[in-house]
Amino acid sequence: MPPPPSSAAFFVWTFIEYAIHRFVLHNGLYFSRDHDAHHAAPKALIGTPTWVTMLILIFGIYLPAIFLLHLGLGLMFGFGVTFGYLVYTSAHYSLHHLNLRNDGILYRWKRIHALHHYVGNDGNFGVTSTLWDHIFGTVARTKKRSLV
């Protein structure tokens, strides 16, 4: 029996998170400016406007899923993606604002994400999963050496 659409959607979310972070926030026109500001001041509450997120979820996730999977399964898929987004936003906030102990998953995510912020923003695009960074070869494991 295949996994429920909400579980599959949570997995799909990890790819969406990676792709948006890598290709839109680091290479896009409008959103990359805000994301650059986030990199300059990681504790500042800078992010995608809520109305933009809602439009993306409705028109990019829910409506296509309902059209392709019909109402019940489409809504389940949309809820799975939304749950993934909520995990991401909660985790990302925690990574930048909480003093995390060094024995939990959030601390591991914080260390991985810190490499993205403070070593060079050309790797570790996944916040809640490193799967796609491994698949696409964008894992940043150590500090870059100085050219001096």
Side-chain angles (χ1 to χ4, degrees):
M1 184 160 96
S6 55
S7 298
F10 185 77
F11 174 74
V12 168
W13 164 256
T14 63
F15 177 75
I16 293 170
E17 173 190 311
Y18 174 88
I20 288 174
H21 192 184
R22 181 176 180 186
F23 300 112
V24 176
L25 299 180
H26 281 274
N27 296 308
L29 300 173
Y30 173 75
F31 296 110
S32 63
R33 287 180 288 158
D34 287 342
H35 196 66
D36 289 344
H38 166 65
H39 273 267
K43 290 192 179 282
L45 297 177
I46 301 167
T48 305
T50 304
W51 67 269
V52 172
T53 301
M54 292 304 298
L55 288 175
I56 291 169
L57 284 172
I58 292 168
F59 292 103
I61 302 298
Y62 279 91
L63 291 179
I66 290 168
F67 178 76
L68 294 171
L69 302 172
H70 303 292
L71 183 63
L73 293 177
L75 288 175
M76 286 174 57
F77 184 85
F79 293 154
V81 171
T82 302
F83 179 73
Y85 173 73
L86 292 174
V87 169
Y88 158 77
T89 56
S90 300
H92 193 254
Y93 177 86
S94 299
L95 304 182
H96 288 294
H97 296 279
L98 299 183
N99 186 14
L100 301 169
R101 295 183 2 211
N102 65 356
D103 62 350
I105 184 85
L106 283 176
Y107 183 78
R108 287 192 298 265
W109 287 352
K110 182 174 187 160
R111 290 191 57 182
I112 292 166
H113 192 60
L115 289 172
H116 172 76
H117 267 268
Y118 301 110
V119 175
N121 59 12
D122 56 353
N124 291 4
F125 296 104
V127 173
T128 60
S129 172
T130 60
L131 172 67
W132 302 106
D133 283 299
H134 280 73
I135 289 172
F136 295 115
T138 55
V139 174
R141 296 177 198 253
T142 60
K143 293 183 179 179
K144 290 183 178 179
R145 295 184 184 170
S146 172
L147 296 177
V148 178

PDB file of all heavy atoms in Angstrom, residues 106-131:
ATOM      1  N   LEU A 106      17.414  19.823  16.326  1.00  0.00           N
ATOM      2  CA  LEU A 106      17.484  21.241  15.981  1.00  0.00           C
ATOM      3  C   LEU A 106      18.915  21.760  16.060  1.00  0.00           C
ATOM      4  O   LEU A 106      19.323  22.584  15.252  1.00  0.00           O
ATOM      5  CB  LEU A 106      16.572  22.067  16.891  1.00  0.00           C
ATOM      6  CG  LEU A 106      15.080  22.022  16.578  1.00  0.00           C
ATOM      7  CD1 LEU A 106      14.292  22.805  17.613  1.00  0.00           C
ATOM      8  CD2 LEU A 106      14.792  22.552  15.184  1.00  0.00           C
ATOM      9  N   TYR A 107      19.678  21.274  17.013  1.00  0.00           N
ATOM     10  CA  TYR A 107      21.078  21.692  17.101  1.00  0.00           C
ATOM     11  C   TYR A 107      21.866  21.214  15.880  1.00  0.00           C
ATOM     12  O   TYR A 107      22.677  21.959  15.330  1.00  0.00           O
ATOM     13  CB  TYR A 107      21.717  21.175  18.393  1.00  0.00           C
ATOM     14  CG  TYR A 107      23.140  21.645  18.553  1.00  0.00           C
ATOM     15  CD1 TYR A 107      23.411  22.939  18.986  1.00  0.00           C
ATOM     16  CD2 TYR A 107      24.207  20.804  18.257  1.00  0.00           C
ATOM     17  CE1 TYR A 107      24.712  23.388  19.124  1.00  0.00           C
ATOM     18  CE2 TYR A 107      25.512  21.247  18.392  1.00  0.00           C
ATOM     19  CZ  TYR A 107      25.764  22.536  18.834  1.00  0.00           C
ATOM     20  OH  TYR A 107      27.056  22.974  18.953  1.00  0.00           O
ATOM     21  N   ARG A 108      21.617  19.986  15.449  1.00  0.00           N
ATOM     22  CA  ARG A 108      22.286  19.489  14.228  1.00  0.00           C
ATOM     23  C   ARG A 108      21.895  20.327  13.026  1.00  0.00           C
ATOM     24  O   ARG A 108      22.739  20.687  12.201  1.00  0.00           O
ATOM     25  CB  ARG A 108      21.963  18.013  14.006  1.00  0.00           C
ATOM     26  CG  ARG A 108      22.670  17.090  14.978  1.00  0.00           C
ATOM     27  CD  ARG A 108      22.554  15.638  14.560  1.00  0.00           C
ATOM     28  NE  ARG A 108      21.185  15.170  14.527  1.00  0.00           N
ATOM     29  CZ  ARG A 108      20.579  14.536  15.519  1.00  0.00           C
ATOM     30  NH1 ARG A 108      21.221  14.266  16.623  1.00  0.00           N
ATOM     31  NH2 ARG A 108      19.328  14.147  15.399  1.00  0.00           N
ATOM     32  N   TRP A 109      20.613  20.647  12.912  1.00  0.00           N
ATOM     33  CA  TRP A 109      20.163  21.499  11.811  1.00  0.00           C
ATOM     34  C   TRP A 109      20.815  22.872  11.905  1.00  0.00           C
ATOM     35  O   TRP A 109      21.180  23.467  10.894  1.00  0.00           O
ATOM     36  CB  TRP A 109      18.648  21.657  11.831  1.00  0.00           C
ATOM     37  CG  TRP A 109      17.872  20.449  11.390  1.00  0.00           C
ATOM     38  CD1 TRP A 109      18.358  19.303  10.835  1.00  0.00           C
ATOM     39  CD2 TRP A 109      16.466  20.279  11.480  1.00  0.00           C
ATOM     40  NE1 TRP A 109      17.332  18.433  10.573  1.00  0.00           N
ATOM     41  CE2 TRP A 109      16.161  19.000  10.963  1.00  0.00           C
ATOM     42  CE3 TRP A 109      15.429  21.062  11.966  1.00  0.00           C
ATOM     43  CZ2 TRP A 109      14.867  18.501  10.896  1.00  0.00           C
ATOM     44  CZ3 TRP A 109      14.141  20.572  11.902  1.00  0.00           C
ATOM     45  CH2 TRP A 109      13.855  19.308  11.369  1.00  0.00           C
ATOM     46  N   LYS A 110      20.959  23.406  13.140  1.00  0.00           N
ATOM     47  CA  LYS A 110      21.569  24.715  13.326  1.00  0.00           C
ATOM     48  C   LYS A 110      23.022  24.714  12.843  1.00  0.00           C
ATOM     49  O   LYS A 110      23.457  25.652  12.184  1.00  0.00           O
ATOM     50  CB  LYS A 110      21.500  25.126  14.794  1.00  0.00           C
ATOM     51  CG  LYS A 110      22.072  26.496  15.063  1.00  0.00           C
ATOM     52  CD  LYS A 110      21.861  26.915  16.492  1.00  0.00           C
ATOM     53  CE  LYS A 110      22.306  28.354  16.667  1.00  0.00           C
ATOM     54  NZ  LYS A 110      21.712  28.965  17.852  1.00  0.00           N
ATOM     55  N   ARG A 111      23.768  23.682  13.166  1.00  0.00           N
ATOM     56  CA  ARG A 111      25.170  23.598  12.736  1.00  0.00           C
ATOM     57  C   ARG A 111      25.263  23.541  11.209  1.00  0.00           C
ATOM     58  O   ARG A 111      26.107  24.199  10.608  1.00  0.00           O
ATOM     59  CB  ARG A 111      25.844  22.382  13.360  1.00  0.00           C
ATOM     60  CG  ARG A 111      26.046  22.564  14.860  1.00  0.00           C
ATOM     61  CD  ARG A 111      26.918  21.522  15.419  1.00  0.00           C
ATOM     62  NE  ARG A 111      28.189  21.582  14.690  1.00  0.00           N
ATOM     63  CZ  ARG A 111      29.194  20.778  14.893  1.00  0.00           C
ATOM     64  NH1 ARG A 111      29.100  19.848  15.794  1.00  0.00           N
ATOM     65  NH2 ARG A 111      30.293  20.878  14.200  1.00  0.00           N
ATOM     66  N   ILE A 112      24.410  22.735  10.597  1.00  0.00           N
ATOM     67  CA  ILE A 112      24.412  22.622   9.129  1.00  0.00           C
ATOM     68  C   ILE A 112      24.026  23.959   8.500  1.00  0.00           C
ATOM     69  O   ILE A 112      24.653  24.427   7.549  1.00  0.00           O
ATOM     70  CB  ILE A 112      23.466  21.494   8.678  1.00  0.00           C
ATOM     71  CG1 ILE A 112      24.037  20.136   9.106  1.00  0.00           C
ATOM     72  CG2 ILE A 112      23.216  21.541   7.178  1.00  0.00           C
ATOM     73  CD1 ILE A 112      23.042  18.994   9.019  1.00  0.00           C
ATOM     74  N   HIS A 113      22.994  24.592   9.048  1.00  0.00           N
ATOM     75  CA  HIS A 113      22.524  25.861   8.502  1.00  0.00           C
ATOM     76  C   HIS A 113      23.547  26.977   8.739  1.00  0.00           C
ATOM     77  O   HIS A 113      23.682  27.884   7.914  1.00  0.00           O
ATOM     78  CB  HIS A 113      21.168  26.220   9.113  1.00  0.00           C
ATOM     79  CG  HIS A 113      20.475  27.343   8.428  1.00  0.00           C
ATOM     80  ND1 HIS A 113      20.120  27.306   7.097  1.00  0.00           N
ATOM     81  CD2 HIS A 113      20.065  28.555   8.878  1.00  0.00           C
ATOM     82  CE1 HIS A 113      19.521  28.427   6.761  1.00  0.00           C
ATOM     83  NE2 HIS A 113      19.486  29.212   7.825  1.00  0.00           N
ATOM     84  N   ALA A 114      24.275  26.919   9.840  1.00  0.00           N
ATOM     85  CA  ALA A 114      25.298  27.930  10.125  1.00  0.00           C
ATOM     86  C   ALA A 114      26.384  27.916   9.052  1.00  0.00           C
ATOM     87  O   ALA A 114      26.902  28.970   8.675  1.00  0.00           O
ATOM     88  CB  ALA A 114      25.904  27.707  11.504  1.00  0.00           C
ATOM     89  N   LEU A 115      26.709  26.738   8.536  1.00  0.00           N
ATOM     90  CA  LEU A 115      27.684  26.679   7.446  1.00  0.00           C
ATOM     91  C   LEU A 115      27.169  27.440   6.228  1.00  0.00           C
ATOM     92  O   LEU A 115      27.927  28.106   5.537  1.00  0.00           O
ATOM     93  CB  LEU A 115      27.994  25.231   7.066  1.00  0.00           C
ATOM     94  CG  LEU A 115      28.815  24.430   8.069  1.00  0.00           C
ATOM     95  CD1 LEU A 115      28.871  22.964   7.658  1.00  0.00           C
ATOM     96  CD2 LEU A 115      30.210  25.007   8.206  1.00  0.00           C
ATOM     97  N   HIS A 116      25.879  27.337   5.973  1.00  0.00           N
ATOM     98  CA  HIS A 116      25.280  28.063   4.852  1.00  0.00           C
ATOM     99  C   HIS A 116      25.407  29.575   5.071  1.00  0.00           C
ATOM    100  O   HIS A 116      25.734  30.318   4.158  1.00  0.00           O
ATOM    101  CB  HIS A 116      23.811  27.676   4.693  1.00  0.00           C
ATOM    102  CG  HIS A 116      23.074  28.515   3.697  1.00  0.00           C
ATOM    103  ND1 HIS A 116      23.222  28.353   2.338  1.00  0.00           N
ATOM    104  CD2 HIS A 116      22.206  29.538   3.860  1.00  0.00           C
ATOM    105  CE1 HIS A 116      22.461  29.236   1.706  1.00  0.00           C
ATOM    106  NE2 HIS A 116      21.832  29.963   2.615  1.00  0.00           N
ATOM    107  N   HIS A 117      25.143  30.020   6.285  1.00  0.00           N
ATOM    108  CA  HIS A 117      25.132  31.453   6.573  1.00  0.00           C
ATOM    109  C   HIS A 117      26.521  32.055   6.700  1.00  0.00           C
ATOM    110  O   HIS A 117      26.754  33.156   6.218  1.00  0.00           O
ATOM    111  CB  HIS A 117      24.362  31.731   7.871  1.00  0.00           C
ATOM    112  CG  HIS A 117      22.929  32.039   7.643  1.00  0.00           C
ATOM    113  ND1 HIS A 117      22.457  33.317   7.485  1.00  0.00           N
ATOM    114  CD2 HIS A 117      21.860  31.227   7.535  1.00  0.00           C
ATOM    115  CE1 HIS A 117      21.156  33.280   7.296  1.00  0.00           C
ATOM    116  NE2 HIS A 117      20.762  32.029   7.323  1.00  0.00           N
ATOM    117  N   TYR A 118      27.407  31.358   7.376  1.00  0.00           N
ATOM    118  CA  TYR A 118      28.649  31.998   7.793  1.00  0.00           C
ATOM    119  C   TYR A 118      29.888  31.537   7.043  1.00  0.00           C
ATOM    120  O   TYR A 118      30.935  32.135   7.170  1.00  0.00           O
ATOM    121  CB  TYR A 118      28.843  31.809   9.299  1.00  0.00           C
ATOM    122  CG  TYR A 118      27.691  32.392  10.072  1.00  0.00           C
ATOM    123  CD1 TYR A 118      26.788  31.577  10.730  1.00  0.00           C
ATOM    124  CD2 TYR A 118      27.477  33.768  10.092  1.00  0.00           C
ATOM    125  CE1 TYR A 118      25.712  32.125  11.419  1.00  0.00           C
ATOM    126  CE2 TYR A 118      26.404  34.317  10.766  1.00  0.00           C
ATOM    127  CZ  TYR A 118      25.532  33.485  11.441  1.00  0.00           C
ATOM    128  OH  TYR A 118      24.475  34.026  12.104  1.00  0.00           O
ATOM    129  N   VAL A 119      29.791  30.489   6.248  1.00  0.00           N
ATOM    130  CA  VAL A 119      30.950  30.006   5.518  1.00  0.00           C
ATOM    131  C   VAL A 119      30.840  30.359   4.041  1.00  0.00           C
ATOM    132  O   VAL A 119      31.812  30.634   3.381  1.00  0.00           O
ATOM    133  CB  VAL A 119      31.121  28.482   5.712  1.00  0.00           C
ATOM    134  CG1 VAL A 119      32.237  27.950   4.855  1.00  0.00           C
ATOM    135  CG2 VAL A 119      31.379  28.190   7.169  1.00  0.00           C
ATOM    136  N   GLY A 120      29.674  30.367   3.548  1.00  0.00           N
ATOM    137  CA  GLY A 120      29.430  30.668   2.138  1.00  0.00           C
ATOM    138  C   GLY A 120      28.063  30.157   1.799  1.00  0.00           C
ATOM    139  O   GLY A 120      27.701  29.056   2.192  1.00  0.00           O
ATOM    140  N   ASN A 121      27.294  30.967   1.111  1.00  0.00           N
ATOM    141  CA  ASN A 121      25.897  30.589   0.882  1.00  0.00           C
ATOM    142  C   ASN A 121      25.707  29.825  -0.417  1.00  0.00           C
ATOM    143  O   ASN A 121      24.664  29.900  -1.032  1.00  0.00           O
ATOM    144  CB  ASN A 121      24.997  31.823   0.940  1.00  0.00           C
ATOM    145  CG  ASN A 121      25.372  32.869  -0.083  1.00  0.00           C
ATOM    146  OD1 ASN A 121      26.156  32.608  -0.994  1.00  0.00           O
ATOM    147  ND2 ASN A 121      24.818  34.052   0.053  1.00  0.00           N
ATOM    148  N   ASP A 122      26.698  29.034  -0.806  1.00  0.00           N
ATOM    149  CA  ASP A 122      26.577  28.241  -2.026  1.00  0.00           C
ATOM    150  C   ASP A 122      26.348  26.763  -1.725  1.00  0.00           C
ATOM    151  O   ASP A 122      26.557  25.907  -2.572  1.00  0.00           O
ATOM    152  CB  ASP A 122      27.805  28.428  -2.915  1.00  0.00           C
ATOM    153  CG  ASP A 122      29.103  28.092  -2.201  1.00  0.00           C
ATOM    154  OD1 ASP A 122      29.064  27.850  -0.974  1.00  0.00           O
ATOM    155  OD2 ASP A 122      30.149  28.063  -2.857  1.00  0.00           O
ATOM    156  N   GLY A 123      25.900  26.466  -0.528  1.00  0.00           N
ATOM    157  CA  GLY A 123      25.614  25.084  -0.159  1.00  0.00           C
ATOM    158  C   GLY A 123      24.696  25.031   1.048  1.00  0.00           C
ATOM    159  O   GLY A 123      24.367  26.052   1.641  1.00  0.00           O
ATOM    160  N   ASN A 124      24.292  23.806   1.400  1.00  0.00           N
ATOM    161  CA  ASN A 124      23.390  23.561   2.530  1.00  0.00           C
ATOM    162  C   ASN A 124      22.107  24.383   2.404  1.00  0.00           C
ATOM    163  O   ASN A 124      21.731  25.126   3.298  1.00  0.00           O
ATOM    164  CB  ASN A 124      24.087  23.840   3.864  1.00  0.00           C
ATOM    165  CG  ASN A 124      25.161  22.839   4.163  1.00  0.00           C
ATOM    166  OD1 ASN A 124      25.465  21.970   3.356  1.00  0.00           O
ATOM    167  ND2 ASN A 124      25.758  22.943   5.336  1.00  0.00           N
ATOM    168  N   PHE A 125      21.423  24.196   1.293  1.00  0.00           N
ATOM    169  CA  PHE A 125      20.186  24.926   1.034  1.00  0.00           C
ATOM    170  C   PHE A 125      19.002  24.319   1.777  1.00  0.00           C
ATOM    171  O   PHE A 125      18.037  25.002   2.054  1.00  0.00           O
ATOM    172  CB  PHE A 125      19.895  24.991  -0.468  1.00  0.00           C
ATOM    173  CG  PHE A 125      20.935  25.759  -1.224  1.00  0.00           C
ATOM    174  CD1 PHE A 125      21.882  25.102  -1.985  1.00  0.00           C
ATOM    175  CD2 PHE A 125      20.972  27.132  -1.162  1.00  0.00           C
ATOM    176  CE1 PHE A 125      22.848  25.805  -2.680  1.00  0.00           C
ATOM    177  CE2 PHE A 125      21.931  27.856  -1.846  1.00  0.00           C
ATOM    178  CZ  PHE A 125      22.879  27.182  -2.607  1.00  0.00           C
ATOM    179  N   GLY A 126      19.065  23.036   2.093  1.00  0.00           N
ATOM    180  CA  GLY A 126      18.007  22.413   2.866  1.00  0.00           C
ATOM    181  C   GLY A 126      18.150  22.788   4.322  1.00  0.00           C
ATOM    182  O   GLY A 126      19.250  22.748   4.876  1.00  0.00           O
ATOM    183  N   VAL A 127      17.057  23.164   4.944  1.00  0.00           N
ATOM    184  CA  VAL A 127      17.080  23.501   6.370  1.00  0.00           C
ATOM    185  C   VAL A 127      16.632  22.301   7.187  1.00  0.00           C
ATOM    186  O   VAL A 127      17.252  21.951   8.180  1.00  0.00           O
ATOM    187  CB  VAL A 127      16.195  24.735   6.662  1.00  0.00           C
ATOM    188  CG1 VAL A 127      16.078  24.993   8.153  1.00  0.00           C
ATOM    189  CG2 VAL A 127      16.760  25.956   5.952  1.00  0.00           C
ATOM    190  N   THR A 128      15.571  21.633   6.757  1.00  0.00           N
ATOM    191  CA  THR A 128      15.045  20.507   7.522  1.00  0.00           C
ATOM    192  C   THR A 128      15.480  19.156   6.968  1.00  0.00           C
ATOM    193  O   THR A 128      15.144  18.131   7.542  1.00  0.00           O
ATOM    194  CB  THR A 128      13.502  20.556   7.577  1.00  0.00           C
ATOM    195  OG1 THR A 128      12.995  20.502   6.242  1.00  0.00           O
ATOM    196  CG2 THR A 128      13.018  21.822   8.246  1.00  0.00           C
ATOM    197  N   SER A 129      16.224  19.161   5.872  1.00  0.00           N
ATOM    198  CA  SER A 129      16.720  17.912   5.295  1.00  0.00           C
ATOM    199  C   SER A 129      17.961  18.207   4.465  1.00  0.00           C
ATOM    200  O   SER A 129      18.012  19.207   3.747  1.00  0.00           O
ATOM    201  CB  SER A 129      15.650  17.275   4.399  1.00  0.00           C
ATOM    202  OG  SER A 129      16.188  16.177   3.699  1.00  0.00           O
ATOM    203  N   THR A 130      18.940  17.320   4.555  1.00  0.00           N
ATOM    204  CA  THR A 130      20.140  17.459   3.721  1.00  0.00           C
ATOM    205  C   THR A 130      20.071  16.544   2.496  1.00  0.00           C
ATOM    206  O   THR A 130      21.012  16.512   1.710  1.00  0.00           O
ATOM    207  CB  THR A 130      21.408  17.133   4.527  1.00  0.00           C
ATOM    208  OG1 THR A 130      21.320  15.786   4.997  1.00  0.00           O
ATOM    209  CG2 THR A 130      21.586  18.095   5.697  1.00  0.00           C
ATOM    210  N   LEU A 131      18.966  15.837   2.340  1.00  0.00           N
ATOM    211  CA  LEU A 131      18.832  14.876   1.240  1.00  0.00           C
ATOM    212  C   LEU A 131      19.153  15.507  -0.108  1.00  0.00           C
ATOM    213  O   LEU A 131      19.977  14.989  -0.873  1.00  0.00           O
ATOM    214  CB  LEU A 131      17.420  14.289   1.214  1.00  0.00           C
ATOM    215  CG  LEU A 131      17.087  13.416   0.000  1.00  0.00           C
ATOM    216  CD1 LEU A 131      17.918  12.135   0.038  1.00  0.00           C
ATOM    217  CD2 LEU A 131      15.604  13.106  -0.051  1.00  0.00           C
TER     218      LEU A 131
END
